[in-house]
Amino acid sequence: MTQPPYGQVPPRGTVQPPPVPGQGPVPPGQYPGQAQGPYQAQPGQGPYQGQQPPYQGPPPQGPPPQGPPWQQPPPSYPVPPRKPTGLIVGLCLGAVAVLALGVVAIVSLNRGSGPSNAGYQAAPPSPTSAYELPPTSGSSTASSAPSSSSESPSTSVSAGPHKILKLADHPILQDRNAGLQNLVCNLPQWTSTQDGAEAFFTAASKCLDAAWGPFLESYNLPFTPPALHFPTGPSFDTECGTIQVGIATAAYYCENNLYVPFKGLQTDQYGNNPGVYLALFAHEYGHHVQEVAGIMDAAWQKIYAAGQNSPEGLDMSRRKELQAQCFSGMFLGAHVDRGGTITRDMYNKAWNDQETRGDNTSRSHDHGTNAHYAQWWRAGAKDNRIADCNTFAASASDVS
């Protein structure tokens, strides 16, 4: 393969954040508004010319190749000296006598109770490798090691694409050069109607599929697009329960299903601002990326173990939500100014809108403060590097 499956390495720093009024250029690596109070931006600035790191190849697909199992070489014994023939005959007769006595002893022992292993225990199975081995062509398993016929199906490793239940050490978060391919995305003009919203988000989902699908598949993850739903009532049913449409529910994700109730978009407040709606939709799609990768399952395991409303459970929930924010920023940063309909004006308005969302607005503690909501979205949007979205490795002070 001459290039990574997710396309050519995306350039770093192709998107400049809107400038801060009354201040000079933003130093590289610093987010506008960081330790500067509320950030207000002006649209329409030129592109940032950053440094592009050297491409280091496609993401790893498993452990380094291993050689054949090491085996103990057979011992070398000294050659015994030749013995006289008469002595050999005598030794043979003695061996026959000992053998006969042994047979008699074995028969007498077997007349007792059932067979016993005399304290012998089978050796425990060797520990499972921590690596998820990639499949080999023509093989139905990821390892050539023999398996017992009584092995539970849940313990066998599938050779096909499968989730990897990891968080900070998840494979997709390790490559500093990995990002979304810069693509053209064409969306219909936004109209604040039920039909207009459905057409807009349906087209946006196709662009998100084209961006995230090849990226996830390059890591042997089982990508399938989420199913879209456009509820029209005051509530809607999901596998996660019945969801009430309101200020806090502009869009919702649950188990491979993405719901966008038009009445939750608050179009009377946001008006004709498609960049705001696109960033919100890309956030919920970011949860689908987590679901496909296995990050979502791993996070919920931690949340359930700690308790959803415990400090540890709320911390894990914030890390999950803030990563979806970063994934949303990555998508807009990779597609703005590429010749499609995701314009610089849409990007700038989405950039500024992030400070209006978060726990300060919703008065909750499970999504992150408004400042952190903006910080993580902008981290993804500026450089389009998924390693910058590793909220699970961040300090607690960055995900409060």
Side-chain angles (χ1 to χ4, degrees):
M1 187 173 298
T2 58
Q3 66 178 18
Y6 46 83
Q8 190 162 0
V9 175
R12 182 181 293 276
T14 56
V15 179
Q16 178 189 9
V20 180
Q23 296 186 9
V26 179
Q30 180 177 353
Y31 305 124
Q34 192 173 27
Q36 299 174 3
Y39 168 69
Q40 299 294 330
Q42 299 294 329
Q45 299 298 315
Y48 167 73
Q49 300 297 326
Q51 297 297 321
Q52 178 176 348
Y55 169 63
Q56 297 180 355
Q61 295 295 315
Q66 299 179 354
W70 181 83
Q71 295 180 351
Q72 176 73 30
S76 176
Y77 297 103
V79 179
R82 186 181 301 274
K83 294 182 173 57
T85 304
L87 179 59
I88 293 176
V89 173
L91 289 175
C92 291
L93 292 175
V96 171
V98 172
L99 178 60
L101 291 174
V103 171
V104 173
I106 292 173
V107 172
S108 62
L109 287 173
N110 287 338
R111 289 177 181 174
S113 58
S116 169
N117 61 8
Y120 170 79
Q121 295 182 353
S126 58
T128 303
S129 170
Y131 292 102
E132 308 267 356
L133 297 181
T136 55
S137 59
S139 173
S140 59
T141 61
S143 173
S144 60
S147 60
S148 170
S149 60
S150 61
E151 181 180 0
S152 170
S154 62
T155 62
S156 61
V157 179
S158 171
H162 56 281
K163 295 181 180 181
I164 301 174
L165 272 62
K166 293 185 177 182
L167 295 173
D169 57 342
H170 197 284
I172 69 171
L173 302 174
Q174 308 311 309
D175 187 352
R176 296 298 308 176
N177 285 333
L180 296 179
Q181 187 177 4
N182 302 120
L183 299 174
V184 174
C185 176
N186 286 308
L187 306 174
Q189 184 175 2
W190 174 265
T191 58
S192 295
T193 64
Q194 177 75 33
D195 290 343
E198 289 189 20
F200 181 87
F201 291 124
T202 299
S205 70
K206 302 301 182 185
C207 292
L208 284 154
D209 293 343
W212 284 110
F215 180 88
L216 294 167
E217 287 171 345
S218 72
Y219 288 88
N220 200 31
L221 296 168
F223 176 78
T224 54
L228 294 183
H229 307 272
F230 301 99
T232 57
S235 65
F236 54 93
D237 295 328
T238 75
E239 293 186 29
C240 303
T242 299
I243 308 302
Q244 301 296 323
V245 177
I247 295 177
T249 314
Y252 189 80
Y253 178 83
C254 173
E255 296 292 335
N256 300 304
N257 290 272
L258 209 166
Y259 302 85
V260 189
F262 176 72
K263 294 179 180 179
L265 294 174
Q266 304 175 70
T267 56
D268 55 340
Q269 175 179 345
Y270 292 102
N272 185 27
N273 279 309
V276 172
Y277 306 126
L278 180 61
L280 182 148
F281 185 75
H283 170 104
E284 297 304 324
Y285 196 102
H287 287 314
H288 185 63
V289 174
Q290 293 172 323
E291 176 70 34
V292 170
I295 294 172
M296 180 75 78
D297 291 345
W300 274 109
Q301 285 180 357
K302 297 283 188 181
I303 294 171
Y304 285 139
Q308 286 185 253
N309 294 318
S310 69
E312 296 82 3
L314 291 171
D315 175 83
M316 183 57 58
S317 179
R318 290 193 295 270
R319 293 176 189 273
K320 171 173 61 68
E321 292 295 334
L322 291 170
Q323 185 176 73
Q325 272 291 91
C326 191
F327 288 171
S328 171
M330 281 182 63
F331 174 76
L332 268 77
H335 291 75
V336 65
D337 293 338
R338 294 294 162 183
T341 57
I342 299 181
T343 64
R344 178 54 61 107
D345 182 65
M346 290 173 62
Y347 173 86
N348 288 348
K349 289 178 178 177
W351 179 286
N352 293 330
D353 177 67
Q354 303 312 310
E355 290 184 353
T356 71
R357 302 178 186 273
D359 288 344
N360 301 106
T361 300
S362 63
R363 300 184 184 277
S364 60
H365 301 285
D366 58 353
H367 278 59
T369 64
N370 288 28
H372 285 152
Y373 226 58
Q375 173 186 330
W376 284 100
W377 191 92
R378 293 166 183 172
K382 278 187 64 180
D383 288 339
N384 182 21
R385 292 294 187 272
I386 199 167
D388 293 340
C389 297
N390 196 346
T391 56
F392 298 99
S395 65
S397 61
D398 286 329
V399 294
S400 61

